[in-house]
Amino acid sequence: MTSFAMSAVRRVAEATARLTYRDIQVVASRRSSDGPVLLVSNHFGGVADAVLLVYLSPRVPRIVARDVIWSVPVAGALMRSIRAIPVHKSDDPGPGRSTNDAMFSSCYEALAEGSLVLIFPEGVTQDDPNLAPVKTGAARIALGARAAGTTGITIQPVGIHYEDKAAFRSRVVVAFSEPIALDVVVAEAASAAPVDADNRAAVDALNDRVAAGMREAAPDYRDWDEAREMQLAASVALRQAAPDQAVKEVDLALREQLAVRLARREGPQREAVAVASRRYRATLDGLRMSDYQLSGSVSTARILGQLALDGLVTLLLLPYALLGLALGIIPYLLTQATRLIPAAPAVRATVMPLVALVVYLLEWIGLAVAVGASWGWGLGALVALLTPAFVGATVLVAERLVLLWRTARQWVGSRRASRPVAAARSDRAALVDAVRTAL
Amino acid sequence: MVTMPTSEMVFLFLILPATVVWVSVVGDIVTRPGLTVASRVAWLAAVTLLLPTALAWLLLRPTGDPLADAAAPSDPDDPQVALVALVIDHDDGLVDDATFSRRLDGLLRLSHP
């Protein structure tokens, strides 16, 4: 792929990712970037996973994807243009190849060229908050490529955590765990037989390491109930540590790191956190309150100061924000409408970013062309330049108003002294104690 | 299955539409009544330079390292960051139990109203 096309592909991925998610965080202690790299990722978000990893990778990866995509008109052309590698699943329609020899050969060639190859070793998009069984494809590709003469291969496990994968403008965390140096793994393997893709013991051993690396990086809860319980417990503990930041959203990367570690605690400790979390959630729901209202307090002077500041900013930006609202409301509603699609969350997570990109792009271009054709191209160019700024003003004002609303609710919550609120504070303290014990 | 080389796709989906837009804008500037010669030349220069420059800036500017850019800066003095770092260090065996309990209690007591 030419550097021009590569840059363009990454720009489109960046635009799609930045439009779809309001916050993209990365957790990476160490990561590999040079030489032949096999990127192995969990697969919670369908196409969204690939978009995020193309955007965040230092090079456009050769994506291993199901061959049925190649027969979809626009998607097929796109897959060919980015030199994706087709893999046939036995339960997919169409002739396909039962052995996938061509897929393995293409992966070996890509790694021999020093490329980045992206594969989702679970083989399916997953709607549960944990990894599906990790298939041996990635391990066989890595060992096969090395046996074919490519040295220096690194396997980089990745985990993608979505706040709500089917929601437009939600948050996402991409976590990279420790890279696996294949040469070191092979050197350590005490095997009389050649360490290649046909060596079952070597494949299984490497696959175990790949799965462990992915599990380290990816969400790893038993079920959605446990995910919600541990995430609430982690949020409460983090707010407890910084009560002055209570009205702000808890940092998603920090919450996920703490929640996953709570979920991995011993049975009784984990169960105590789960019980305390369920009780606190039920109490909050009964009072129609949120945790931030009970974490810390806010002074009257502070809320008046914030009201004055936010009121001034809102007044200054209001004309632009209203214009941005008028311009952005239809694409926003169309994108939000993807939540109504009667399909699995992973399917909606695939459709949503594509719909967002298309409808926002069409409106932006259509508006500029319509204004240009009606009132002159200079004005059309001006509209094209200013539309993103107006929509940005809307987002800014909306964020300020939400923060102000949460501060006001916290101010009210901190002054409530009824028995149910006191009970909620007690449940909250019990949850903090359970977290402290579990950690 | 017909495959199209990347260079042809770039031409078809990028260069061709951009050229059509440029030609239509230039046509409008040339034929629009009431413009002085100076402003016509200025507009022509602007769209001829601006359009390709904007396209090049959008698509070709160095992508840098978005991974590093997206990595959240972690302030070790932030108590939330300190809490998670403490738990990770303890799990990794870098902090002993007594130190962990003392620092954990300190961090979690901060928010008692």
Side-chain angles (χ1 to χ4, degrees), chain A residues 53-409:
Chain A
L53 291 173
V54 168
Y55 162 48
L56 290 174
S57 297
R59 299 166 275 165
V60 174
R62 301 282 303 275
I63 304 170
V64 179
R66 288 164 70 175
D67 60 358
V68 288
I69 302 172
W70 270 253
S71 57
V72 179
V74 178
L78 183 68
M79 297 307 268
R80 279 188 289 279
S81 72
I82 60 171
R83 296 176 68 211
I85 299 168
V87 57
H88 183 72
K89 281 186 70 183
S90 54
D91 51 348
D92 277 342
R97 292 170 302 276
S98 58
T99 58
N100 271 318
D101 286 345
M103 183 275 287
F104 279 100
S105 297
S106 299
C107 290
Y108 296 165
E109 283 168 21
L111 290 170
E113 291 166 3
S115 296
L116 183 65
V117 175
L118 167 61
I119 186 168
F120 300 101
E122 297 160 282
V124 289
T125 48
Q126 169 79 327
D127 278 326
D128 292 325
N130 47 47
L131 281 182
V134 174
K135 295 179 180 170
T136 55
R140 284 190 289 150
I141 288 169
L143 290 174
R146 193 178 186 283
T150 306
T151 54
I153 296 172
T154 303
I155 303 173
Q156 174 67 69
V158 186
I160 304 177
H161 303 239
Y162 293 94
E163 184 178 41
D164 180 351
K165 64 183 176 183
F168 183 49
R169 304 294 297 161
S170 69
R171 298 183 294 170
V172 63
V173 175
V174 181
F176 291 73
S177 63
E178 194 71 19
I180 301 166
L182 188 63
D183 290 347
V184 175
V185 173
V186 170
E188 287 172 357
S191 173
V195 182
D196 58 20
D198 296 325
N199 183 331
R200 189 58 191 258
V203 167
D204 287 344
L206 180 59
N207 196 50
D208 288 346
R209 289 189 68 162
V210 169
M214 289 175 67
R215 197 159 284 114
E216 182 66 29
D220 188 20
Y221 306 102
R222 282 157 193 79
D223 51 39
W224 280 111
D225 285 340
E226 184 183 85
R228 280 186 280 268
E229 287 156 7
M230 298 304 148
Q231 286 164 353
L232 175 63
S235 297
V236 168
L238 289 165
R239 283 204 185 93
Q240 184 81 356
D244 55 324
Q245 300 174 27
V247 291
K248 293 182 188 165
E249 286 179 307
V250 171
D251 185 284
L252 187 63
L254 295 176
R255 187 196 78 179
E256 281 301 293
Q257 288 181 81
L258 197 55
V260 168
R261 280 171 191 270
L262 282 170
R264 289 179 189 153
R265 284 330 199 225
E266 297 294 320
Q269 295 172 336
R270 188 182 64 239
E271 188 53 28
V273 173
V275 168
S277 185
R278 278 198 297 273
R279 184 184 299 133
Y280 183 48
R281 166 61 62 207
T283 309
L284 285 176
D285 288 347
L287 290 168
R288 293 185 180 177
M289 291 180 83
S290 300
D291 175 59
Y292 70 84
Q293 292 177 264
L294 298 175
S295 24
S297 61
V298 58
S299 69
T300 308
R302 189 181 141 194
I303 195 172
L304 288 175
Q306 196 175 337
L307 186 65
L309 180 67
D310 286 341
L312 183 67
V313 171
T314 303
L315 270 177
L316 288 173
L317 289 177
L318 198 60
Y320 311 106
L322 288 175
L323 208 52
L325 183 68
L327 294 171
I329 191 74
I330 290 174
Y332 178 79
L333 290 176
L334 284 172
T335 307
Q336 285 289 22
T338 56
R339 290 185 78 100
L340 304 175
I341 296 171
V347 176
R348 294 203 300 272
T350 289
V351 173
M352 185 263 294
L354 302 178
V355 169
L357 182 68
V358 170
V359 294
Y360 273 93
L361 206 60
L362 280 181
E363 202 223 30
W364 189 34
I365 294 170
L367 194 71
V369 169
V371 169
S374 304
W375 293 301
W377 291 102
L379 206 56
L382 199 65
V383 167
L385 284 173
L386 289 181
T387 299
F390 289 152
V391 173
T394 309
V395 172
L396 196 68
V397 167
E399 283 173 352
R400 289 247 164 202
L401 291 178
V402 166
L403 212 56
L404 189 61
W405 169 247
R406 287 167 67 97
T407 307
R409 287 190 78 199

Side-chain angles (χ1 to χ4, degrees), chain A residues 1-5 7-8 10-11 14 18 24-26 28 31 55-58 70-71 77-78 80-81 176 237-243 245 250-251 254 257-258 261 265 294 296 372 375-378 425 428-429 432 435-436 439, chain B residues 1-4 6-7 9-10 13-15 21 24-25 28-29 32 43 50 57-72 78-81 83-84 87-88 90-92 100 104-105 107-113:
Chain A
M1 199 187 304
T2 63
S3 60
F4 175 84
S7 178
R10 288 185 65 192
R11 286 287 162 216
E14 178 184 7
R18 291 264 166 221
I24 300 169
Q25 285 182 281
V26 171
R31 65 188 170 88
Y55 162 48
L56 290 174
S57 297
W70 270 253
S71 57
L78 183 68
R80 279 188 289 279
S81 72
F176 291 73
L238 289 165
R239 283 204 185 93
Q240 184 81 356
Q245 300 174 27
V250 171
D251 185 284
L254 295 176
Q257 288 181 81
L258 197 55
R261 280 171 191 270
R265 284 330 199 225
L294 298 175
W375 293 301
W377 291 102
R425 289 187 204 284
R428 188 176 194 279
V432 172
V435 170
R436 182 190 285 137
L439 289 176
Chain B
M1 200 178 280
V2 179
T3 58
M4 190 183 286
T6 307
S7 56
M9 290 195 65
V10 168
F13 295 114
L14 210 67
I15 296 174
V21 171
S24 65
V25 172
D28 180 66
I29 293 167
R32 184 169 287 269
W43 270 111
L50 194 72
W57 180 79
L58 274 173
L59 296 174
L60 293 178
R61 70 199 146 106
T63 43
D65 188 351
L67 207 152
D69 296 343
D78 181 333
Q80 294 188 338
V81 174
L83 175 62
V84 173
V87 172
I88 292 172
H90 181 245
D91 286 356
D92 292 348
F100 174 70
L104 182 66
D105 284 354
L107 282 165
L108 291 182
R109 270 202 301 267
L110 280 174
S111 73
H112 281 302

